[in-house]
Amino acid sequence: MKKSILSLAILGACVSIQTANAQLAKKKGVTLDEISKEINTLAQKGDDASKAQMLVEAKHLVESKNESFVNFGSRIYGYLEKTEEVDKIEKSLLKRFPKGLKARSQAYESVFNAENITASEAEKNYNAFLKKYPSSNFEEKDRGLYGNAESKLAGLYFKENNLAKANEYVSKIKNSANFIQSAYGLTNELAKNKDYANALPILEEAIAKAKEDKTVGANYLPVLNSS
């Protein structure tokens, strides 16, 4: 009897400690990068206790009302090879976040996918997409898709030799936080079309910006990152 009581007490203590530690997703104002650092610390330890704690944290993350937290929780489950949990989460995302990241990603696929699409057709599709998924609805770190779209539109207009419209989109990507990445995609496309005259000044500006920006090339955490 005493042994049973002692075992229950130990089990209760373990549950209490585990619950007390599972505070990452519930901390007020906590960022995904902060959570990622803690999770990577656990992942790098690699012991059973750390993996168990990662599962506890994953459970709290996927219960969040923040889709980015849910996605990161799903990545933790994936890292721990809990494929059934990952599948369950993936299937629930569209219902839980009908105007969120996954829904936006699916909608974006139809913007440029028509064969031999013209610049004006793509622009019309993109404007319709923007009305449903404005960039202001998403965090800065999740806005790279918009710069990617604008670089594609610039590329299409350059290809059609509509320099006024092309440069309109070049100006937009220059004013975005993702200018370097967008410029790389655009200049790569221009180079494929042997349009070096338009590619070179954009590339030179992107290189200059990269030299100024100390955060470019900064490494994410080694095991699981927050994006």
Side-chain angles (χ1 to χ4, degrees), residues 32 35-37 39-40 58 61-62 67-77 224-227:
L32 206 50
I35 294 173
S36 180
K37 287 177 183 177
I39 293 299
N40 272 288
L61 285 164
V62 300
E67 188 182 4
S68 294
F69 281 25
V70 175
N71 283 327
F72 190 53
S74 178
R75 283 198 289 278
I76 296 171
Y77 277 125
L224 290 163
N225 63 56
S226 58
S227 58

Side-chain angles (χ1 to χ4, degrees), residues 41-52:
T41 298
L42 293 170
Q44 287 168 354
K45 288 179 181 177
D47 54 64
D48 289 344
S50 296
K51 289 179 180 178

